[in-house]
Amino acid sequence: MIKTYNILYLLAEILLLILKIVYYICEDIYKLIVPTKMKSVVGEIVLITGAGHGIGKELAIGYALLGATVVCWDINEVTNNQTMDDIKRMGRNSVYAYKCNVTDREEVFRIAEKVKKEVGDVTILVNNAGIVFVKSFLNQSVDEIARVIDVNVTAHYWTLKAFLPSMIKKNHGHIVALSSMVGLLCGPYSTVYSPSKFAVKAIMEAISEELRILSNGKSSVKFTTVYPNFVDTGLAKPKIRFSLMKPLLPQKAAALIIDAQRRNHENKSIPSYILPVSKILRHLPDKALKCVLDFIDVSAYPEH
């Protein structure tokens, strides 16, 4: 009798699981047709790492123009202050700049405390800072390898340690992390950079799932991982065969990242087709996948 009950209970659980899967598939299809309404960021305190140039600078400007209080972090004090000054010249005075090396754990915690006292609790954290050396593995120095891992991966742990607890306590906040197209599919000359961006994806998925379980699904803290294609920031010279893959301007990339955060997307590629296409490609036989990658022929010219 007990055995029969257990079997029936298991079947009921499987049926419920199937219904949930179908429901969420339909929900995603609906969102493609009717996009989620963007939430306001007015009054939010947005901290952006790597705000001194490129995407980070455009993110700071974008959030400031939307009415958020913006906190700029960058290791380069001159360019970071320039970002702040540019925003103030636009008539937005709720902006702050702090010199911070995100790879230095103690400095991150110290400056984070300063931000909390002088500005308030950060409610949107954008882990944007990143570096890349476009070289073959054998041509990369050990210092370059360590630097990429420290900036692109380890720094995420320090900023999360610094700002996530207050978000959890208030049950309000949003973590945004920039991965990359090569955080979905590897390419040549990215034996260090690509794994670092795969790691960003893993960190975000793991911490989001952990918080969901620990809160019994009641957490309101959101997580968004963004996978941009090439962005014209001057860090790498892209090699592109098809115009559909052409580099984005930093302003456009920043606008799409902000859009993804405001719509609570958990994962968003730029352009949007990269993420679903990468999932399909992952199901191909290994040799077939390599044929597709050879055909697309997207990479970056190595540094000399």
Side-chain angles (χ1 to χ4, degrees):
M1 181 67 180
I2 296 176
K3 186 176 180 180
T4 302
Y5 171 80
N6 288 338
I7 291 172
L8 291 173
Y9 186 78
L10 177 60
L11 290 174
E13 283 190 311
I14 292 172
L15 177 60
L16 180 60
L17 174 63
I18 293 171
L19 291 173
K20 285 182 177 180
I21 290 171
V22 172
Y23 172 81
Y24 289 121
I25 289 173
C26 293
E27 183 181 65
D28 270 9
I29 293 172
Y30 176 78
K31 287 180 180 178
L32 287 174
I33 301 169
V34 183
T36 306
K37 184 179 178 181
M38 287 192 288
K39 62 185 181 183
S40 172
V41 294
V42 174
E44 302 285 359
I45 299 177
V46 185
L47 187 145
I48 301 157
T49 65
H53 69 285
I55 298 174
K57 179 172 184 174
E58 297 302 329
L59 285 169
I61 293 171
Y63 276 113
L65 292 177
L66 287 170
T69 295
V70 174
V71 179
C72 303
W73 273 20
D74 203 289
I75 194 171
N76 189 323
E77 187 173 18
V78 174
T79 58
N80 200 42
N81 286 338
Q82 184 64 55
T83 297
M84 177 179 67
D85 293 340
D86 288 347
I87 291 172
K88 286 185 176 181
R89 277 194 288 270
M90 296 175 183
R92 303 289 178 168
N93 293 315
S94 192
V95 54
Y96 304 82
Y98 297 85
K99 180 180 181 295
C100 185
N101 177 2
V102 292
T103 69
D104 186 329
R105 178 181 61 195
E106 297 307 321
E107 185 170 324
V108 168
F109 295 159
R110 177 171 56 83
I111 302 300
E113 279 300 312
K114 192 174 182 181
V115 169
K116 183 176 181 179
K117 290 176 182 178
E118 296 178 356
V119 186
D121 286 325
V122 170
T123 56
I124 300 175
L125 168 65
V126 185
N127 278 320
N128 161 76
I131 59 170
V132 60
F133 298 102
V134 187
K135 299 180 179 180
S136 67
F137 177 70
L138 295 181
N139 285 335
Q140 293 217 25
S141 70
V142 292
D143 288 339
E144 287 172 339
I145 293 170
R147 181 67 178 159
V148 170
I149 298 304
D150 285 345
V151 175
N152 294 5
V153 183
T154 312
H156 285 249
Y157 288 106
W158 308 149
T159 55
L160 286 168
K161 275 286 190 182
F163 300 112
L164 184 58
S166 65
M167 295 183 190
I168 293 174
K169 184 177 180 180
K170 294 182 176 180
N171 199 27
H172 175 77
H174 204 133
I175 305 292
V176 181
L178 266 66
S179 179
S180 168
M181 178 181 70
V182 296
L184 298 169
L185 293 167
C186 293
Y189 308 115
S190 63
T191 49
V192 182
Y193 181 72
S194 184
S196 76
K197 292 304 184 178
F198 268 87
V200 170
K201 178 178 185 292
I203 291 169
M204 291 290 282
E205 286 184 2
I207 200 162
S208 173
E209 180 62 9
E210 181 174 281
L211 189 54
R212 184 183 72 86
I213 296 299
L214 292 178
S215 69
N216 292 317
K218 296 179 180 179
S219 175
S220 294
V221 178
K222 305 297 182 183
F223 296 85
T224 297
T225 308
V226 185
Y227 309 87
N229 187 18
F230 286 110
V231 180
D232 189 8
T233 59
L235 294 177
K237 183 181 178 182
K239 175 187 176 185
I240 297 172
R241 181 179 182 186
F242 299 104
S243 60
L244 282 174
M245 303 291 286
K246 66 181 180 180
L248 293 167
L249 292 174
Q251 297 95 320
K252 180 63 174 178
L256 292 171
I257 292 164
I258 294 172
D259 181 273
Q261 180 268 317
R262 294 182 66 197
R263 296 186 193 276
N264 290 331
H265 288 297
E266 290 185 30
N267 292 281
K268 185 69 176 179
S269 61
I270 302 172
S272 58
Y273 64 80
I274 290 177
L275 191 57
V277 168
S278 70
K279 290 180 179 179
I280 294 170
L281 292 178
R282 280 292 178 189
H283 288 86
L284 293 177
D286 291 340
K287 291 182 179 179
L289 174 58
K290 288 177 173 60
C291 288
V292 173
L293 294 178
D294 287 344
F295 173 75
I296 297 172
D297 194 22
V298 175
S299 62
Y301 290 101
E303 300 172 18
H304 297 291

